[in-house]
Amino acid sequence: PFHCGSLTAMLLRQLSDPLAVCTGSVPPWCTRLAGACPFLFPHSVRRILHQSCSLGLGRALHHAQQRALAQHAHSQEAQRRLEGEVAVASIPRQKVRIARPRLLESAVKVMNLYGAGSAILEVEYVGEVGTGSGPTLEFYAQVAEQLRGAGLFRAGVPQGMLFPEPRDPRWLRGGAPAARQVLERFRLLGHVLARCILDSRLVDLQLHPLFWRAVLGGAPLSRGSLREVDPALHASLERLRGMEAPALAELCVDFTLPGHAEVELRPGGAGAPLSAAGVEEYAALVAEASLVTAVAPQVAAFRAAFQELLPLQACRIWSERELASIIMGSSIRDNACWTLEHLGAHVKAQHGYTADSRCFRDLLACMASFAPEDRRKFLTFVTGAPSLPVGGFSGLKPPLTVVKKEAPPAPLTPDHFMPSVMTCANYLKLPEYSSAEILKQKLELAMCEGQSAFLLS
């Protein structure tokens, strides 16, 4: 890709001035140019700009310190010395306690009460002792799962991406209880995604790039945009274009949105049969309703809620596809993050295990053999989030660390015990199993059964 080296160097010089960052006096051209022409700057530089200018002073200083530590701290001793030399106040944390049976209702209340605050949100569950990033990441994952299953999004979108299900705009704006609930769910979606960007949390919600384009008010949609959202519907419209008039009449098609008879494409459309002369008009109206008019209230609800927490201008420095990676991290289908080489380089063995320990190597081999759904379960069990940051395990902070679980007294053996985790520290406590087969069996059982609760092991 094309990047402008001179402009990148100028931008980095401006962002390296701590006084400018602290006082909010970074020159306006930095954000304006990056927003208008993001292709001029590498992704890593735009991330520094995002952290310095879009997330507030506390987060800007925190990220600046983390960059300094990563650049200069080549050992734990050097890191402790640097942390002592540069004392930056930590970002305040707001702890909230919710009940699992009322997850979405609790999420709405939490976002309305604390979403716009400057503190990092941390979630605890009623009746559970877990606290910190693990329960918080699982909270966002559970909210995402329930939102995906709430009938808000259309089926058949390529790669499982999310695009709103078309609905009658007049019904949505009419104030019926069901309509209010749909818009409330899109408001919650906007709050959750903005909060995750602010707090650097990962959440398994991959919004379609065309949805982001509608939210940000980007370029207009083209005739082929429908293919990106609903390939089957687009193919059906293409077949209509090639039909003769008698065959078209036999289909009894009218000017309503396919699959949504309540959405009329033009006034009186339910009683207007499609003729050969009106096929082009019909195809254009179907695309417009599917991508614009019949999803406009949902997009507006999402946009309004998102802007309450984070200005849309902060997102313009990213492409529509980059926004998905910032929110979701690396795809669980990215095999490059699950090779033995990647795992061996970025998963740490400590306190009883070394990189050459048989049990540790068996674990890495088991992880490398995971199918995508097993990867999701493993990550949720170990970290609380169902996906990895950009860069895979190399981006996980703190790194995934595997330690030996204390051996039990005789006559019990490690094979009788299950692995356990500290999700807040990405810490896996693994018994020294006698074989790779037993390790795989115990790990898969823990991945399936060790979900939806944070208790003392």
Side-chain angles (χ1 to χ4, degrees):
F2 171 78
H3 296 140
C4 182
S6 57
L7 285 174
T8 297
M10 289 176 61
L11 179 59
L12 285 173
R13 277 199 300 273
Q14 297 292 345
L15 298 177
S16 64
D17 181 359
L19 186 59
V21 173
C22 291
T23 57
S25 55
V26 173
W29 71 262
C30 297
T31 51
R32 289 179 184 170
L33 185 59
C37 306
F39 57 86
L40 292 174
F41 306 100
H43 183 279
S44 58
V45 174
R46 282 179 283 134
R47 178 171 285 276
I48 295 174
L49 175 66
H50 172 73
Q51 294 169 345
S52 301
C53 299
S54 302
L55 306 182
L57 175 58
R59 287 172 174 81
L61 293 176
H62 170 76
H63 288 298
Q65 184 187 37
Q66 295 304 307
R67 289 194 298 272
L69 291 174
Q71 185 175 357
H72 300 293
H74 305 297
S75 65
Q76 289 187 345
E77 181 181 347
Q79 181 170 338
R80 284 194 294 269
R81 186 175 68 252
L82 279 171
E83 287 176 343
E85 291 175 356
V86 183
V88 176
S90 59
I91 306 172
R93 297 176 184 273
Q94 175 66 57
K95 294 192 176 186
V96 295
R97 182 164 293 183
I98 66 169
R100 284 187 183 273
R102 300 186 300 276
L103 190 72
L104 284 187
E105 294 81 355
S106 299
V108 170
K109 290 180 181 178
V110 166
M111 292 299 160
N112 287 335
L113 287 172
Y114 305 110
S118 60
I120 293 177
L121 273 183
E122 287 193 349
V123 174
E124 300 174 1
Y125 291 103
V126 174
E128 300 177 21
V129 296
T131 185
S133 65
T136 305
L137 289 172
E138 199 224 36
F139 163 75
Y140 287 123
Q142 294 289 330
V143 169
E145 184 176 348
Q146 293 199 23
L147 286 176
R148 283 198 304 271
L152 303 177
F153 305 103
R154 69 187 303 152
V157 180
Q159 302 177 38
M161 291 188 283
L162 304 178
F163 193 87
E165 177 76 9
R167 298 180 187 272
D168 184 358
R170 293 171 298 178
W171 176 74
L172 284 173
R173 297 186 178 106
R180 286 202 307 270
Q181 185 179 61
V182 169
L183 297 180
E184 187 62 45
R185 293 292 180 258
F186 274 96
R187 279 188 54 80
L188 175 61
L189 179 66
H191 280 150
V192 165
L193 290 189
R195 194 72 241 180
C196 287
I197 293 174
L198 279 169
D199 292 350
S200 300
R201 307 286 194 196
L202 296 178
V203 62
D204 191 14
L205 287 168
Q206 188 177 11
L207 299 188
H208 197 285
L210 293 180
F211 182 82
W212 279 115
R213 184 182 300 181
V215 170
L216 298 175
L221 302 175
S222 67
R223 175 173 168 174
S225 296
L226 184 60
R227 183 194 299 114
E228 301 177 39
V229 172
D230 195 332
L233 179 58
H234 180 270
S236 296
L237 294 176
E238 289 299 311
R239 285 194 292 271
L240 287 180
R241 288 189 170 98
M243 282 187 174
E244 299 293 337
L248 195 60
E250 291 177 0
L251 294 178
C252 300
V253 177
D254 56 23
F255 274 77
T256 58
L257 186 63
H260 301 273
E262 74 282 0
V263 180
E264 293 188 329
L265 300 177
R266 66 186 189 190
L274 177 62
S275 64
V279 168
E280 289 298 328
E281 179 193 7
Y282 174 77
L285 290 174
V286 167
E288 183 181 9
S290 299
L291 303 177
V292 183
T293 56
V295 300
Q298 300 95 302
V299 170
F302 175 94
R303 184 193 297 117
F306 191 95
Q307 289 185 115
E308 291 173 6
L309 277 61
L310 189 66
L312 287 179
Q313 188 62 34
C315 297
R316 298 191 194 281
I317 65 172
W318 308 111
S319 72
E320 294 147 2
R321 296 194 179 276
E322 285 173 334
L323 279 168
S325 68
I326 291 170
I327 293 163
M328 274 196 63
S330 296
S331 169
I332 56 171
R333 293 177 176 80
D334 185 358
N335 294 327
C337 299
W338 295 87
T339 63
L340 281 173
E341 293 75 18
H342 181 85
L343 295 171
H346 302 295
V347 178
K348 308 301 180 186
Q350 293 182 0
H351 302 301
Y353 286 133
T354 67
D356 297 321
S357 298
R358 176 193 56 79
C359 195
F360 178 73
R361 286 188 281 108
D362 287 345
L363 172 67
L364 298 189
C366 181
M367 292 168 61
S369 70
F370 282 158
E373 191 54 39
D374 291 328
R375 295 172 183 176
R376 180 188 298 274
K377 291 178 182 177
F378 175 80
L379 292 173
T380 303
F381 173 61
V382 174
T383 70
S387 58
L388 287 166
V390 174
F393 284 94
S394 65
L396 206 56
K397 305 297 181 191
L400 176 58
T401 303
V402 182
V403 301
K404 184 189 288 188
K405 202 165 191 176
E406 186 177 348
L412 297 174
T413 69
D415 290 353
H416 290 98
F417 287 79
M418 301 288 291
S420 58
V421 296
M422 292 171 56
T423 51
C424 301
N426 299 329
Y427 214 66
L428 173 60
K429 294 179 276 188
L430 186 71
E432 191 171 16
Y433 294 116
S434 59
S435 69
E437 291 74 21
I438 293 177
L439 182 148
K440 183 176 182 181
Q441 175 191 347
K442 295 290 187 181
L443 185 60
E444 288 179 348
L445 181 60
M447 286 157 44
C448 292
E449 300 297 331
Q451 309 274 351
S452 301
F454 290 86
L455 307 170
L456 293 174
S457 60

